[in-house]
């Protein structure tokens, strides 16, 4: 049998040699004395990698059970061996050991989650983190066809990042509308000079403000400046028809003052996994670690402070504070909760969200959401203070927690339910169990 594999091995080496390459004649047990006039062509020896690859394949084949194959299947066996040896040679040429290539194909760890996702509050679309602002802009732009006033307010609140400037802007704009509603008969309150210093510094420089004035009934007009001869300037002037709709103007003023930024909602990415020993293994994508420009500046400042404090004697409290600061580097955390039956519930959270959010997340996934339970962090530590943030509890950027039922209450529940029914019931909702996956 070994002689048979050696012959195939030599045949494959000869066929996979590159153009112009020569292979040495493989050693064979001579069947008869070779004729003097027949001289084999000199062949170049295969590379060390190719030899090791072929030897590994041959060794694996020889370890397989050696049942006698029918003569009619000899060609099929040759084809199978030929395919495997050629695959081994190809892997060797790429510079990868055969064993490592097999691990790469069969044992590569899949990401625990493909990324951080958000839900657009206007459209309900789920998008990646880096696409959320673009999605918000497109959604707000489309909303102008529905309610241009509301859409312009969304732009003001959402895309101007300086919250103090937004507050001053909104209050000044509301004052303009308030003056009109209080003094509708006075023309001076119905005009806003665009080059006015207050208007320029507080309003004109912010995104969405001009769209708001146009949406509530102002139009642009060039008017002469009193006392300056032929000089003229641009004004926003309230249309005459809006004087009969002052109640609508008041409503828009209140809408402006009560508005909030439009924020994409973090998508929890709820997933249920079957019992698995790989529950504590996390493979996180870069979304969980990437920092914004502002966060990078903060990190640089913190590193500078750390260097300055390196020569100082630090107390335990100071060390704990620095550890907490280090945990704040992460914006998100991936949490898994393992149930007593082994099933695993997974979700994505902000690192600064309180533990109470996780309790609510788990409760919504339960078949009976009234059942009391406790969550145990790594090491069995009970998460009793639900006001603490995940990064303050050391639950970033990922963690595996355990769920424990209230023992006294569960005794009463088990007594009320037949034993066989209790064994069949999972605490998770049936629709979630139907989506259960296997951890890779």
């Amino acid at each position: 049998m070994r002689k048979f594999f050696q012959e195939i091995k030599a045949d494959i080496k000869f066929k996979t040699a590159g153009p112009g390459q020569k292979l040495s004649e493989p050693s064979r047990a001579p069947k008869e004395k070779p004729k003097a006039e027949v001289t084999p062509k000199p062949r170049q020896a295969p590379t060390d990698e190719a030899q090791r690859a072929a030897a590994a394949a041959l060794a694996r084949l020889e370890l397989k059970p050696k049942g006698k194959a029918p003569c009619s299947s000899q060609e099929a066996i040759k084809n199978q061996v030929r395919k495997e040896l050629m695959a081994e040679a190809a892997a060797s040429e790429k510079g990868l050991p055969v064993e490592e290539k097999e691990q790469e194909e069969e044992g590569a760890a899949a990401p625990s989650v493909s990324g951080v996702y958000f839900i657009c509050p206007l459209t309900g679309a789920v998008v990646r983190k880096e696409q959320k602002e673009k999605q918000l802009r497109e959604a707000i732009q489309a909303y102008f066809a529905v309610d241009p006033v509301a859409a312009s307010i969304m732009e003001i609140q959402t895309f101007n990042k300086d919250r103090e400037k937004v507050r001053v802007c909104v209050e000044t704009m509301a004052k303009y509308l308030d003056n009109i509603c209080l003094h509708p008969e006075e023309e001076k309150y119905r005009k806003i000079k665009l080059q006015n210093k207050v208007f320029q510094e507080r309003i004109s420089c912010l995104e969405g403000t001009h769209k708001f004035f146009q949406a509530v009934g102002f139009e642009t007009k060039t008017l002469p400046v009193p006392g300056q001869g032929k000089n003229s300037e641009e004004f926003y002037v309230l249309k005459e028809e809006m004087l009969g709709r002052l109640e609508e103007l008041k409503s828009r003023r209140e809408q402006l003052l009560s508005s909030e930024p439009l924020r994409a909602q973090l998508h929890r990415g709820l997933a249920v996994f079957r019992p698995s020993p790989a529950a504590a293994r996390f493979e996180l994508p870069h979304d969980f670690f990437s920092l914004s420009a502002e966060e990078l500046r903060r990190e640089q400042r913190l590193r500078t402070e750390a260097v300055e404090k390196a020569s100082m004697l630090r107390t335990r409290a100071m060390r704990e504070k620095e550890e907490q600061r280090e945990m704040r580097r992460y914006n998100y955390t991936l949490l898994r909760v393992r149930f007593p039956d082994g099933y695993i519930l997974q979700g994505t959270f902000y690192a600064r969200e309180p533990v109470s959010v996780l309790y609510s997340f788990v409760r919504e996934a339960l078949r009976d959401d009234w059942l009391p339970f406790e969550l145990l962090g790594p090491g069995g530590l009970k998460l009793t203070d639900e006001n603490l943030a995940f990064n303050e509890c050391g639950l970033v950027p990922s963690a595996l927690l355990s769920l424990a039922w209230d023992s006294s209450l569960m005794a009463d529940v088990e007594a009320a339910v037949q034993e066989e029914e209790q064994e069949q019931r999972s605490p998770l909702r049936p629709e979630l169990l139907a989506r259960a996956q296997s951890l890779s």
Side-chain angles (χ1 to χ4, degrees), residues 290-301 303:
S290 59
L291 301 175
S292 66
E294 180 182 351
E295 291 165 337
L296 287 173
R297 287 193 294 269
R298 186 175 68 245
E299 287 301 310
Q300 183 61 41
R301 186 178 70 253
R303 290 192 188 99

Side-chain angles (χ1 to χ4, degrees), residues 94-111:
K94 291 181 180 179
L96 287 176
V98 176
E99 293 80 9
E100 289 184 12
K101 184 170 180 63
E102 289 177 349
Q103 290 174 4
E104 183 182 70
E105 294 176 351
E106 300 175 4

Side-chain angles (χ1 to χ4, degrees), residues 331-346:
N331 286 333
Y332 312 97
T333 183
L334 185 67
L335 299 179
R336 289 174 179 164
V337 177
R338 181 159 49 195
F339 284 73
D341 60 0
Y343 275 82
I344 301 157
L345 182 68
Q346 176 178 284

Side-chain angles (χ1 to χ4, degrees), residues 233-272:
E233 289 184 336
E234 287 191 335
F235 289 79
Y236 272 142
V237 180
L238 188 69
K239 298 176 183 178
E240 290 290 334
E241 62 195 59
M242 293 303 299
L243 291 177
R245 298 160 57 184
L246 293 181
E247 289 302 319
E248 179 182 336
L249 210 59
K250 290 179 182 179
S251 174
R252 295 304 192 182
R253 173 185 174 277
E254 295 303 320
Q255 184 180 359
L256 177 65
L257 288 172
S258 61
S259 61
E260 295 288 340
L262 194 67
R263 295 285 183 251
Q265 180 184 356
L266 178 64
H267 189 262
R268 295 298 183 200
L270 186 151
V272 175

Side-chain angles (χ1 to χ4, degrees), residues 213-231:
F213 281 108
Q214 294 165 6
V216 296
F218 284 86
E219 58 184 349
T220 306
K221 286 187 177 182
T222 301
L223 302 175
V225 180
Q228 295 188 16
K230 297 182 179 180
N231 292 335

Side-chain angles (χ1 to χ4, degrees), residues 361-381:
F361 176 74
V362 173
R363 191 169 289 109
E364 291 172 0
L366 294 177
R367 183 194 298 264
D368 300 314
D369 59 4
W370 54 269
L371 289 174
F373 60 88
E374 293 178 326
L375 294 178
L376 310 179
L381 182 65

Side-chain angles (χ1 to χ4, degrees), residues 4 8 24 44 61 63 82 94 128 134 138 181 201 211 219 230 240 242 276 302 321 368 399 420 440:
F4 167 71
I8 297 178
S24 59
Q44 183 179 346
L61 288 170
L63 289 175
R82 185 176 291 109
K94 291 181 180 179
R128 288 290 292 261
K134 178 184 176 183
E138 292 176 352
C181 294
E201 292 179 352
K211 294 179 182 179
E219 58 184 349
K230 297 182 179 180
E240 290 290 334
M242 293 303 299
S276 170
L302 295 178
K321 185 176 181 180
D368 300 314
E420 60 273 15
S440 57

